[in-house]
Amino acid sequence: MQNQTLIQYFHWYYNEKENLWTKVANEAVYLKELGITSVWLPPAYKSNSGALGIGYDAYDLFDLGEFDQKGSVSTRYGSKVAYLKAIDSLHNQGIGVLADAVFNHKAGGDEVEKIKVRTVNPDNRNEFTSDVFEIEAWTKFNFPGRKGKYSEFIWNHECFSGVDWAEDLKKTAIYVIQNFDGEGFEKVPSTELGNYDFLMFNDIDYRNEAVIAELNYWGEWIVETTKVDGFRLDAVKHINPAFISQWIDHLDQKFNRKFFIVAENWDVDCTEDQEEYIRITGGRTQIFDSLLHHNFYMASKDGNRFDMRKIFDNTLISLTPELAVTFVDNHDTQPLQALESYIYFWFRPLAYAIILLREQGIPCLFFPDIYGGIYDDQDKEANQIHIELVKLPQVEVMSKIRANLSYGEQRDYFNHENCIGWTRAGDDEYANSGLAVLLSTGNDGFKAMEIGKKFAGKTFIDALGYREQDVTIDENGWAEFHCNAGSVSVWILKTD
């Protein structure tokens, strides 16, 4: 079975001439050649920002670029027709599609309601800082542009546990809505800030059974309408995990299949929190390994001061590799975004070798590393910044190697703080498969490694082209492999 490889097919500032859905459709054949097995597409529904919205300020989950709402018919990425065509194009290449599901909040209410609230300490959301009082808030969603098509459900304040804006007061705060379901926030996995149920906008309340029923129905509708193969779940540490578990079970039972689900449970310093989330949800989802991303970031900053023997310490892939989706960067960590921790460019090929060419985990590529990205935005001090993210041709090479050659027994050589390596012994199902990887965060590296006796007398070359010499495997299946300083070399069988 071919190795799985995902790609996040967008970034926060996607601004190419082609709308994204058209680009996806046009690139489907190339993605197949790249070895991609599933494509994660951004939120396809109408956002509060209309055609300008990235999609995470979710407004109407049933508007896939079909209705005149929030100032546009199409979303930032194109029309519903173009979205469905993009999915069909990927399916025609045997590539799965992951839809992005934002279940934490809704934004851009259509009408104001008078509601009873209490404020909380933003640094401890369990601590009330006021008695009950009344505000006006944008908590009613009746979607006038859609006029009840697909769903007649009207969202009101009883569907939400909190808001961050009082329209009458023109004031921002964290307002806990005093519904019949209780006066405080729901219990969620994250205890950061006391209780991290509230993140932004109108926080969805999963103590309301009607809300659960509506989102179960939406799950059915989106699968039947688009034929997507799975979901990426946004911001799950802020969401009642009982809802997540039942929603997945509902879809699996409804369609008599197991959907591929990957959750964003963002954490960069606590493996216990990731383990607890897996326990609570019964391992129903894959999880993005943000802990490994953090190790990559620190290694890229610290250079030869970082001990590469510890690159997998305190990571999901070291604890539960079968659930880990590994990545180098994403739309939240790219420059000028909220979780900015962009891996330094010198280290990016090394990080990609680690996620693409090893046995453990399912890697997820990032759009700019394949296509590049140029954009402008303000930093936290309101300075205008120009950003150019260059494409990395090494990623294309390694992604193809993953699909065709990265198979068989893995032998690790993590015995030097700046130079680590591993080999894959190959698999008879994949002709010429087998490889050796060596990377160094210090000086030129070399290491004797075993790849297997079946390669005795065979010649290996550096697929990335950094090292010009050939390497011949000895009669015992060993050879000395090399890499340049601060670089990586991927040694594959010479077939010419």
Side-chain angles (χ1 to χ4, degrees):
M1 180 178 178
Q2 181 182 330
N3 288 323
Q4 292 188 74
T5 305
L6 314 182
I7 184 170
Q8 178 181 350
Y9 206 83
F10 67 101
H11 65 99
W12 194 266
Y13 300 94
Y14 180 81
N15 55 5
E16 298 191 14
K17 292 180 180 179
E18 290 178 301
N19 71 56
L20 188 65
W21 303 152
T22 300
K23 186 175 183 68
V24 172
N26 291 340
E27 293 286 292
V29 172
Y30 167 67
L31 293 174
K32 177 69 172 180
E33 295 171 351
L34 199 59
I36 300 300
T37 55
S38 292
V39 173
W40 160 24
L41 297 177
Y45 30 79
K46 193 67 57 68
S47 74
N48 181 44
S49 306
L52 300 177
I54 308 303
Y56 294 102
D57 54 339
Y59 166 65
D60 185 358
L61 300 184
F62 289 94
D63 183 358
L64 303 178
E66 182 179 2
F67 304 100
D68 189 357
Q69 299 189 114
K70 297 300 179 183
S72 69
V73 174
S74 292
T75 69
R76 178 187 185 96
Y77 308 113
S79 67
K80 177 182 179 180
V81 170
Y83 180 57
L84 297 180
K85 181 179 179 181
I87 294 172
D88 285 344
S89 297
L90 291 167
H91 282 167
N92 288 340
Q93 297 301 318
I95 298 173
V97 178
L98 306 183
D100 206 316
V102 179
F103 288 153
N104 179 72
H105 53 264
K106 293 183 77 66
D110 300 303
E111 295 181 18
V112 165
E113 294 182 297
K114 286 189 174 182
I115 60 175
K116 292 181 178 181
V117 299
R118 295 178 75 181
T119 57
V120 295
N121 180 348
D123 296 322
N124 179 6
R125 280 82 180 280
N126 292 319
E127 178 187 334
F128 289 108
T129 55
S130 78
D131 294 326
V132 176
F133 65 103
E134 197 170 69
I135 65 170
E136 294 180 354
W138 294 95
T139 49
K140 191 167 186 179
F141 292 73
N142 50 27
F143 314 112
R146 182 158 54 80
K147 296 182 173 63
K149 188 174 182 180
Y150 305 130
S151 172
E152 296 181 352
F153 188 80
I154 302 299
W155 294 71
N156 62 23
H157 68 278
E158 293 182 349
C159 301
F160 304 108
S161 61
V163 295
D164 58 6
W165 175 253
E167 178 63 23
D168 53 337
L169 303 179
K170 305 297 182 187
K171 186 176 180 180
T172 297
I174 299 178
Y175 303 98
V176 182
I177 299 174
Q178 303 300 286
N179 283 329
F180 61 87
D181 286 307
E183 64 178 16
F185 287 119
E186 293 182 80
K187 185 178 180 180
V188 296
S190 177
T191 57
E192 188 178 348
L193 303 177
N195 177 320
Y196 216 170
D197 180 21
F198 187 86
L199 179 63
M200 62 180 69
F201 303 123
N202 297 326
D203 187 81
I204 295 175
D205 194 337
Y206 290 103
R207 293 169 292 199
N208 186 325
E209 293 295 330
V211 166
I212 295 173
E214 175 68 358
L215 291 178
N216 284 349
Y217 166 65
W218 177 79
E220 298 174 22
W221 177 84
I222 197 73
V223 171
E224 291 169 347
T225 301
T226 67
K227 306 300 187 292
V228 294
D229 306 281
F231 296 88
R232 178 263 185 186
L233 303 182
D234 183 62
V236 295
K237 76 177 186 179
H238 308 283
I239 302 171
N240 187 330
F243 164 73
I244 296 294
S245 294
Q246 75 79 36
W247 188 81
I248 293 170
D249 290 346
H250 176 80
L251 283 190
D252 287 351
Q253 292 164 13
K254 171 69 178 180
F255 294 98
N256 193 29
R257 60 178 291 194
K258 186 170 178 60
F259 288 90
F260 184 96
I261 311 285
V262 56
E264 181 212 17
N265 186 39
W266 189 264
D267 198 309
V268 296
D269 58 15
C270 188
T271 54
E272 289 81 5
D273 287 350
Q274 296 285 27
E275 288 180 294
E276 178 65 8
Y277 190 80
I278 291 169
R279 186 193 67 78
I280 292 172
T281 57
R284 285 175 172 83
T285 74
Q286 306 291 127
I287 297 177
F288 285 110
D289 197 347
S290 52
L291 297 157
L292 179 61
H293 159 80
H294 180 69
N295 282 1
F296 286 160
Y297 179 60
M298 297 307 298
S300 75
K301 285 179 60 178
D302 294 348
N304 62 10
R305 298 186 305 277
F306 187 93
D307 188 342
M308 289 298 293
R309 295 170 297 186
K310 300 180 179 180
I311 195 67
F312 295 121
D313 284 6
N314 301 314
T315 64
L316 183 63
I317 202 168
S318 68
L319 296 170
T320 317
E322 66 275 13
L323 296 181
V325 172
T326 56
F327 66 101
V328 176
D329 275 295
N330 64 24
H331 62 292
D332 286 322
T333 69
Q334 71 182 100
L336 304 181
Q337 277 307 291
L339 300 175
E340 180 177 345
S341 49
Y342 203 66
I343 310 304
Y344 288 26
F345 279 104
W346 76 272
F347 191 79
R348 299 184 77 78
L350 284 69
Y352 268 111
I354 290 171
I355 70 170
L356 283 170
L357 302 179
R358 292 180 58 77
E359 184 177 9
Q360 296 80 11
I362 300 174
C364 184
L365 312 185
F366 187 36
F367 183 97
D369 293 319
I370 300 298
Y371 296 100
I374 300 175
Y375 57 90
D376 298 276
D377 199 0
Q378 291 184 340
D379 63 14
K380 295 178 181 178
E381 286 73 42
N383 301 308
Q384 194 72 10
I385 305 294
H386 178 73
I387 299 293
E388 295 190 18
L389 305 180
V390 298
K391 63 184 293 187
L392 301 175
Q394 306 96 319
V395 177
E396 177 179 308
V397 174
M398 288 189 285
S399 185
K400 292 178 179 178
I401 289 174
R402 173 176 175 80
N404 298 304
L405 303 177
S406 188
Y407 297 93
E409 179 184 356
Q410 179 173 287
R411 297 179 175 94
D412 285 340
Y413 297 86
F414 283 47
N415 51 6
H416 189 281
E417 62 183 10
N418 295 134
C419 184
I420 61 173
W422 63 92
T423 63
R424 303 294 300 275
D427 187 318
D428 292 340
E429 183 179 349
Y430 291 87
N432 304 316
S433 62
L435 54 80
V437 179
L438 193 70
L439 60 87
S440 172
T441 58
N443 298 325
D444 286 5
F446 61 92
K447 199 178 294 290
M449 299 190 291
E450 180 184 6
I451 190 169
K453 287 184 178 181
K454 73 176 184 180
F455 295 107
K458 301 290 187 180
T459 299
F460 277 63
I461 58 173
D462 180 7
L464 299 181
Y466 294 133
R467 304 290 298 196
E468 295 182 358
Q469 80 268 35
D470 295 344
V471 169
T472 301
I473 311 301
D474 70 18
E475 66 275 12
N476 295 313
W478 287 73
E480 185 175 89
F481 298 94
H482 292 253
C483 69
N484 293 340
S487 184
V488 58
S489 286
V490 180
W491 297 91
I492 65 172
L493 188 64
K494 185 176 182 179
T495 56
D496 295 336

